[in-house]
Amino acid sequence: EYNDRVFDLVNKYPDIDQSVIKTAALNYPTNPQSFIGNYKNIVLDLIKKYPDIDQGIIKTAAIGYPQNPDVFIDNYKKRVVYLTNKYQDIDQNVIKSVALGHPKNPEVFIEGYLNKLTDLNTKYPDIDQSVIKTVALGHPKNPEVFINNYIKTAGPNFRG
């Protein structure tokens, strides 16, 4: 029944992210269309209200906090400003990712990220910095596995 609802909703709303459709089908089985319509309205309103905010953040706020997405966005913006001021040398993409993904304790994550960068740069001095940064951010638990696979896949061309 759930799969049938998802299939029908995907066909009815091809422009809506599947995560939204699955949420609607699972959490609002009697009237998923209402949730989707509300979601679309919230997203449109938030895009107008926050033109400087990435649409991914807006969609996260609309699906996760449909009753009060402004609080989510305002808190996210405050975390970005705070982290930008505290960690001025860190790339904005990292700051934004941490502000979204680690809202309760972003400093702990960033300190771990910085330590992981140092460790990885020491272990893999020939690996391009963009790879090291991506791995430290996206694979903090076991980055060596990712880097070793990267080296195997890239072969002799892995050096930055």
Side-chain angles (χ1 to χ4, degrees):
E1 196 172 315
Y2 165 78
N3 289 333
D4 292 338
R5 276 196 307 273
V6 169
F7 181 77
D8 291 343
L9 292 169
V10 165
N11 288 326
K12 186 172 183 177
Y13 301 101
D15 59 323
I16 298 294
D17 296 339
Q18 283 207 11
S19 62
V20 174
I21 288 175
K22 289 177 180 178
T23 298
L26 183 63
N27 297 335
Y28 305 92
T30 57
N31 194 358
Q33 296 85 353
S34 176
F35 177 83
I36 292 170
N38 189 44
Y39 166 83
K40 288 171 72 171
N41 291 335
I42 291 170
V43 167
L44 292 173
D45 290 345
L46 292 174
I47 287 171
K48 290 176 193 166
K49 191 171 186 178
Y50 301 101
D52 59 323
I53 296 293
D54 181 88
Q55 284 196 21
I57 304 299
I58 286 175
K59 290 176 180 180
T60 299
I63 194 169
Y65 304 88
Q67 302 305 322
N68 202 348
D70 294 289
V71 170
F72 177 86
I73 291 174
D74 291 340
N75 287 336
Y76 166 79
K77 286 172 67 172
K78 287 175 191 171
R79 280 190 304 277
V80 169
V81 168
Y82 166 75
L83 293 170
T84 299
N85 289 332
K86 185 167 183 171
Y87 300 100
Q88 295 176 8
D89 294 337
I90 293 188
D91 183 87
Q92 272 297 294
N93 290 327
V94 172
I95 295 285
K96 289 176 180 179
S97 175
V98 172
L100 179 64
H102 304 277
K104 295 206 187 305
N105 212 341
E107 297 90 350
V108 170
F109 187 88
I110 288 178
E111 293 301 329
Y113 167 79
L114 293 172
N115 290 335
K116 192 56 68 180
L117 280 180
T118 301
D119 292 347
L120 293 173
N121 279 318
T122 302
K123 285 181 184 176
Y124 303 99
D126 294 334
I127 298 291
D128 185 84
Q129 275 300 298
S130 65
V131 173
I132 296 286
K133 288 178 179 178
T134 299
V135 171
L137 184 63
H139 304 277
K141 299 250 189 272
N142 202 348
E144 291 81 7
V145 170
F146 184 91
I147 289 178
N148 289 331
N149 285 335
Y150 169 78
I151 291 169
K152 286 178 193 171
T153 303
N157 300 321
F158 78 89
R159 286 178 168 69

